[in-house]
C-alpha cells in the first residue's frame, strides 16, 4: 500500500529521507519534479528545507521541466537556495517529461513562439536562466532606487558564485547531450532515452556519454563536467525486498514517447553478488562518474532508507563507489 497519498506526504517524506540518506553515508539527494501531480511540483522550498536539515550531501533535482519556468524567477530561487544550502545545489533541468495535463505549461503563461516547439522553448528558457545565474548584468537601475545600487547595470540577486558550474541537462538523445556540452552543462542521463540504434539501453547510453564528452572537449568551459546515470537497484537481502521484485523489469523495454521510439533501461533486482556482476557489465555506469539511485518513494521513508543502506553496504564497496 502506498505511503505517499498526497503532495504533503511527498514533501515531508522527502525531507526525512534526505536526512536519513546523509546519516547512512549517501552523497546526495535528488528529486523529480512533476506539475499538476500529488508529488513535488515546486522544488526550491523543498531543497532549502533539506539544506537546513543536512550538512554534507548534494541537493538537487532530476529534473525541472523548463517549459514551465520563468528564467529570471528560476535564477532568483536557485541563487537563494544555493546560498541557504551552503553551495550544495545540483540542478537538473530538461525539456520535460510526460505530463498530467495537456500542454500544462500554457497554464503557467508560456506559449511557444510560432517557429518554436515546446522543447525549443524549454531550451530557450534554460539558456536565459544560465546567463543570469552566471551573473549577467542587464537591468537598468531606477534613478531614485529604494536601495543604493552598485554602478552600472544590475544583475539578478542573490548571486551565488559557482552555481553556474552545477547546472545539469537531462538529455534524452545524443543530440541534446551534445547541446548540453556546447552550453557548458553537466550531463544527467536517466533510465530512458530515444532509441537511436536498437542496441541495449546501457550501450546506447554509454555512446551518448561518449558524444557528450567529445563535444565538451571542443569548447573551453573552464571546468571538467560531471556525468550521471540513473538506475533502479534492489539488492535482495530480505523477504521485504524479494517481494518488491517486478516481473519483466530485469530487461530493457522498447516503447514510444511523444518524441518517437524510446528504450527504457532495466531494473537491477537480485542477490548482492549477482548484482555486482551485472552492474560491472553496465557500460554506462562504467562511463559515468555519478550513479543516481532511483527509489520507490511510494513505499515510504523506512523502506527506502533500508534500500539505500543495503546498496551502500553490499554493492557500493564491491564496485569502488564512494
Amino acid at each position: 500500500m502506498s505511503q505517499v497519498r498526497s503532495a504533503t506526504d511527498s514533501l515531508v517524506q522527502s525531507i526525512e529521507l534526505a536526512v536519513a540518506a546523509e546519516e547512512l553515508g549517501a552523497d546526495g539527494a535528488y528529486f523529480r519534479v512533476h506539475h499538476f501531480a500529488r508529488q513535488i511540483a515546486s522544488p526550491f522550498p523543498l531543497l532549502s528545507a533539506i539544506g537546513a536539515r543536512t550538512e554534507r550531501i548534494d541537493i538537487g533535482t532530476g529534473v525541472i521541466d523548463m517549459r514551465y519556468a520563468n528564467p529570471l524567477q528560476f535564477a532568483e530561487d536557485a541563487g537563494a537556495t544555493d546560498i541557504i544550502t551552503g553551495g550544495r545545489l545540483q540542478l537538473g533541468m530538461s525539456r520535460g517529461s510526460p505530463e498530467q495535463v495537456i500542454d500544462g505549461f500554457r497554464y503557467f503563461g508560456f506559449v511557444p513562439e510560432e517557429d518554436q516547439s515546446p522543447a525549443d522553448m524549454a531550451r530557450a528558457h534554460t539558456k536565459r536562466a544560465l546567463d543570469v545565474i552566471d551573473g549577467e548584468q542587464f537591468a537598468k537601475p531606477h534613478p531614485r532606487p529604494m536601495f543604493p545600487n552598485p554602478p552600472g547595470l544590475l544583475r539578478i540577486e542573490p548571486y551565488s558564485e559557482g552555481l553556474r558550474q552545477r547546472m545539469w541537462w537531462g538529455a534524452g538523445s545524443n543530440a541534446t547531450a551534445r547541446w548540453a556540452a556546447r552550453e557548458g552543462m553537466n550531463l544527467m542521463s536517466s533510465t530512458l532515452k530515444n532509441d537511436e540504434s536498437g542496441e541495449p539501453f546501457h550501450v546506447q547510453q554509454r555512446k551518448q556519454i561518449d558524444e557528450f564528452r567529445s563535444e565538451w572537449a571542443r569548447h573551453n568551459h573552464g571546468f571538467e563536467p560531471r556525468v550521471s546515470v540513473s538506475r533502479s537497484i534492489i539488492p535482495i537481502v530480505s523477504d521485504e525486498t524479494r517481494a518488491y521484485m517486478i516481473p519483466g523489469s530485469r530487461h530493457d523495454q522498447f516503447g514510444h514517447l511523444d518524441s518517437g521510439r524510446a528504450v527504457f533501461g532495466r531494473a537491477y533486482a537480485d542477490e548482492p553478488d549477482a548484482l555486482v556482476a551485472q552492474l560491472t557489465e553496465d557500460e554506462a555506469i562504467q562511463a559515468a562518474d555519478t550513479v543516481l539511485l532511483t527509489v520507490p518513494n511510494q513505499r515510504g521513508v523506512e523502506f527506502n532508507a533500508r534500500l539505500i543502506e543495503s546498496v551502500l553496504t553490499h554493492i557500493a564497496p564491491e564496485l569502488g563507489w564512494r
Side-chain angles (χ1 to χ4, degrees):
M1 182 177 294
S2 175
Q3 302 296 309
V4 182
R5 301 186 179 185
S6 68
T8 299
D9 291 340
S10 182
L11 289 166
V12 172
Q13 292 184 29
S14 292
I15 296 170
E16 297 304 320
L17 184 57
V19 171
E22 179 171 83
E23 292 173 350
L24 290 167
D27 294 319
Y30 293 73
F31 301 91
R32 290 174 172 164
V33 179
H34 298 283
H35 296 286
F36 298 103
R38 295 177 181 177
Q39 297 185 23
I40 298 164
S42 182
F44 291 109
L46 171 65
L47 302 178
S48 295
I50 292 171
R53 293 279 304 276
T54 60
E55 297 180 354
R56 178 185 56 80
I57 57 172
D58 287 342
I59 305 167
T61 53
V63 289
I64 296 173
D65 188 335
M66 293 301 287
R67 295 175 297 180
Y68 289 76
N70 177 307
L72 302 190
Q73 183 66 59
F74 178 93
E76 282 188 344
D77 290 343
T81 303
D82 196 46
I83 289 169
I84 290 169
T85 61
R88 291 184 282 141
L89 202 59
Q90 303 282 345
L91 284 180
M93 302 170 284
S94 83
R95 51 78 62 201
S97 58
E99 297 186 88
Q100 291 291 104
V101 299
I102 297 172
D103 291 345
F105 49 85
R106 295 179 183 269
Y107 294 99
F108 281 60
F110 300 113
V111 179
E113 297 178 5
E114 187 173 342
D115 60 344
Q116 273 188 327
S117 69
D120 292 334
M121 181 177 70
R123 286 187 284 270
H125 287 182
T126 299
K127 292 183 69 170
R128 185 67 188 130
L130 292 176
D131 287 341
V132 295
I133 286 172
D134 204 24
E136 178 189 338
Q137 296 172 276
F138 63 93
K140 184 178 180 180
H142 195 283
R144 294 182 297 279
M146 182 178 297
F147 308 106
N149 282 322
L153 299 177
L154 303 182
R155 67 187 181 190
I156 285 290
E157 298 287 353
Y159 169 74
S160 185
E161 187 174 357
L163 176 59
R164 175 62 181 82
Q165 295 185 5
R166 287 179 272 116
M167 312 301 284
W168 302 63
W169 185 253
S173 68
N174 292 353
T176 53
R178 293 191 298 270
W179 179 83
R182 289 193 295 271
E183 297 300 324
M185 303 176 72
N186 303 292
L187 176 64
M188 185 175 282
S189 194
S190 185
T191 53
L192 65 88
K193 70 178 295 293
N194 292 0
D195 177 22
E196 301 184 61
S197 69
E199 295 172 292
F201 171 76
H202 72 103
V203 175
Q204 292 199 49
Q205 194 175 48
R206 190 266 300 162
K207 291 182 177 180
Q208 180 191 51
I209 294 170
D210 290 345
E211 292 205 22
F212 168 79
R213 288 190 168 133
S214 178
E215 182 65 35
W216 185 282
R218 297 186 176 98
H219 306 272
N220 182 22
H221 294 306
F223 68 100
E224 288 299 314
R226 291 178 62 182
V227 173
S228 73
V229 296
S230 299
R231 293 292 184 271
S232 175
I233 302 172
I234 312 287
I236 305 302
V237 295
S238 65
D239 291 339
E240 178 185 46
T241 48
R242 190 177 304 279
Y244 186 73
M245 294 175 64
I246 302 172
S249 64
R250 294 185 179 186
H251 304 283
D252 291 347
Q253 303 290 325
F254 290 84
H256 285 83
L257 295 175
D258 56 4
S259 57
R261 182 174 165 86
V263 55
F264 302 79
R266 56 162 296 183
Y268 288 93
D270 215 322
E271 306 289 336
D273 288 348
L275 275 185
V276 169
Q278 294 163 22
L279 293 167
T280 299
E281 296 176 354
D282 187 310
E283 293 184 16
I285 287 179
Q286 301 309 313
D289 56 71
T290 301
V291 176
L292 301 183
L293 175 67
T294 65
V295 300
N297 71 310
Q298 72 275 12
R299 295 299 301 270
V301 175
E302 292 185 2
F303 175 90
N304 284 304
R306 288 192 291 271
L307 172 60
I308 293 169
E309 183 175 26
S310 67
V311 171
L312 293 175
T313 300
H314 300 288
I315 306 301
E318 297 297 324
L319 293 172
W321 296 352
R322 58 178 179 82

